[in-house]
Amino acid sequence: MSAMPLSTWIAWPRSVAALGALALFLLTATTAQAEQDWTGPLGRHTTFYGLLSPSYVSVDDGADRSSLAVDAAQNPSRFGFRTRKPGRAFGFRFETGLGTRQSDGFSQTTTPDPIDLTKEDIRWLEVSWNMDETHTLSVGQGAMASHDAAGSDLSGTDMAINVSVPDMAGGIQFRSAGGALSGIAVGDVYKTFDGLRRVRLRYDNQITDALQFSIAAGSGRLQNIGADDVFDTGFYYSAARGTFDVQASVGLSHIRPATGASFCELVGSASVLHRSSGWNLTLSGGFADPGGTGIYAKFGRKLRWLPWGVTALSIDHILNADTFGAGTSATAWGAAIVQHLDRPNVDIFLGLRRYDSRTPSLGTLQTVTAYQIGALWRF
């Protein structure tokens, strides 16, 4: 067995320091809840919400190690509110990220500022109209109809590892076999084929308690995701069947870029949890022409090992083909453990990832490995 690289030994004290910071975070997250619901002088009912997700990521690209305190891109820190007057159909929602440095935003050559709040952090800015209990129309910045169609996940480890595998280290560049930076980042290689957030007009129909249909038309012009126009649809299913919980979704998008030909993306996912044993299985897949294909699988278990809350463990694997050019391929493995604390509603997580990719011109690129420790506090 080969000796552990010196860079790995150096990284461990930083990890211990990060664990200490997380412990301080948990101690300051008191069990007392803030006043989240408020009724204003005009009779409007407002609900405030948010989450914080500090973490520490360390990445080995085969030659060097990059480590940084970041926000977990799997669930970025955010703050928002919803407001509606009782008995009235119209409502308003606003939600923004906090501009914090993300785990998928740094690289070997770039370290973003710790805080950089811009318009791209706006996640929701919409007005909605509830036509009745099952029909809703909304307009403004928000999720497209196929958003999260790839993300059905009952494992309890999605804040550590999920179908969006670049979230942990998406800005890191692969190195060629000779050791030079390839210019190909982890985030360039893997695709989920999921819908995004855009300025859009969206309609939702709650067909049954378990099944929802959505349709939307939008543009990417508010955020820096291109000037393409998108029309998409999605079906979302969530129900308890006997001793099983089931989630499933499918999304279809028609994308018209500012330049070039229009194309379609198809994505779907399903997740099943056996409640009594905690075993769970998650599958996801997507296809675009052009754009390649992706297949994702996760296997996990939820256990009540500790009195403080549920412990979740999982492993996952993804295979992408032709996603960053014809003849390219990429795989990634992951493992995670998440400990939920019932009080004060905090998840502590550790995630591990291994990224491998290949291109026709550069051959097999050097493996990138990463780990991330962090906590997520919902309020």
Side-chain angles (χ1 to χ4, degrees):
M1 181 179 296
S2 61
M4 185 179 292
L6 178 61
S7 60
T8 301
W9 288 110
I10 293 173
W12 278 110
R14 298 176 182 173
S15 302
V16 172
L19 283 172
L22 289 176
L24 180 61
F25 168 79
L26 296 177
L27 288 173
T28 57
T30 64
T31 58
Q33 293 296 311
E35 186 65 28
Q36 294 178 304
D37 297 321
W38 175 72
T39 301
L42 299 179
R44 299 195 67 86
H45 181 77
T46 302
T47 299
F48 299 94
Y49 64 92
L51 63 85
L52 298 175
S53 58
S55 73
Y56 175 84
V57 175
S58 185
V59 188
D60 187 339
D61 63 12
D64 293 314
R65 179 172 291 276
S66 303
S67 303
L68 199 62
V70 291
D71 203 53
Q74 301 91 320
N75 280 282
S77 295
R78 70 197 69 161
F79 169 79
F81 64 88
R82 299 181 182 90
T83 182
R84 184 180 301 277
K85 191 170 184 177
R88 298 295 179 89
F90 287 97
F92 175 77
R93 180 179 181 182
F94 173 79
E95 179 182 309
T96 181
L98 304 184
T100 46
R101 180 169 55 204
Q102 299 295 298
S103 55
D104 62 352
F106 72 99
S107 70
Q108 296 95 326
T109 60
T110 304
T111 301
D113 294 333
I115 301 289
D116 184 18
L117 186 63
T118 70
K119 70 175 184 178
E120 295 177 20
D121 291 294
I122 298 175
R123 298 164 61 87
W124 297 86
L125 182 62
E126 70 167 18
V127 176
S128 61
W129 177 36
N130 290 347
M131 293 177 276
D132 56 35
E133 293 182 355
T134 60
H135 301 271
T136 303
L137 188 67
S138 53
V139 61
Q141 171 74 5
M144 292 293 293
S146 61
H147 182 67
D148 280 344
S152 300
D153 193 335
L154 295 168
S155 67
T157 62
D158 56 298
M159 73 285 297
I161 58 172
N162 57 44
V163 66
S164 184
V165 299
D167 285 347
M168 189 179 296
I172 295 295
Q173 294 184 44
F174 287 98
R175 291 186 181 271
S176 66
L181 293 176
S182 66
I184 301 172
V186 169
D188 299 330
V189 170
Y190 302 92
K191 292 182 66 174
T192 67
F193 304 93
D194 222 358
L196 300 173
R197 290 184 179 86
R198 300 175 183 272
V199 177
R200 85 287 188 255
L201 177 67
R202 171 170 169 161
Y203 166 77
D204 296 290
N205 180 12
Q206 194 69 40
I207 300 172
T208 67
D209 289 342
L211 181 63
Q212 175 184 306
F213 166 72
S214 302
I215 187 169
S219 169
R221 293 183 177 86
L222 177 63
Q223 296 178 318
N224 188 25
I225 53 177
D228 48 339
D229 297 320
V230 179
F231 174 84
D232 67 351
T233 61
F235 285 89
Y236 299 87
Y237 178 84
S238 180
R241 298 296 181 189
T243 60
F244 292 90
D245 288 339
V246 180
Q247 284 185 358
S249 54
V250 61
L252 176 63
S253 302
H254 178 79
I255 302 170
R256 187 176 63 188
T259 59
S262 300
F263 63 97
C264 292
E265 290 185 347
L266 177 65
V267 62
S269 61
S271 187
V272 179
L273 167 68
H274 186 241
R275 286 192 301 274
S276 58
S277 68
W279 291 108
N280 54 83
L281 176 66
T282 298
L283 300 173
S284 180
F287 168 79
D289 185 18
T293 59
I295 301 174
Y296 173 84
K298 177 192 278 190
F299 182 65
R301 192 177 187 188
K302 290 181 175 180
L303 299 163
R304 194 86 186 190
W305 278 345
L306 302 172
W308 312 317
V310 171
T311 305
L313 306 98
S314 69
I315 56 174
D316 70 358
H317 180 59
I318 193 169
L319 172 62
N320 278 184
D322 301 323
T323 50
F324 58 113
T328 62
S329 62
T331 62
W333 290 91
I337 180 170
V338 176
Q339 178 61 55
H340 179 72
L341 305 179
D342 295 332
R343 296 185 179 182
N345 194 26
V346 167
D347 292 307
I348 307 170
F349 63 86
L350 168 65
L352 308 172
R353 280 243 176 260
R354 173 191 168 111
Y355 302 98
D356 293 283
S357 66
R358 179 180 177 83
T359 74
S361 58
L362 296 176
T364 300
L365 303 176
Q366 292 196 39
T367 296
V368 172
T369 57
Y371 73 85
Q372 182 178 23
I373 56 175
L376 189 150
W377 177 38
R378 298 176 180 86
F379 59 90

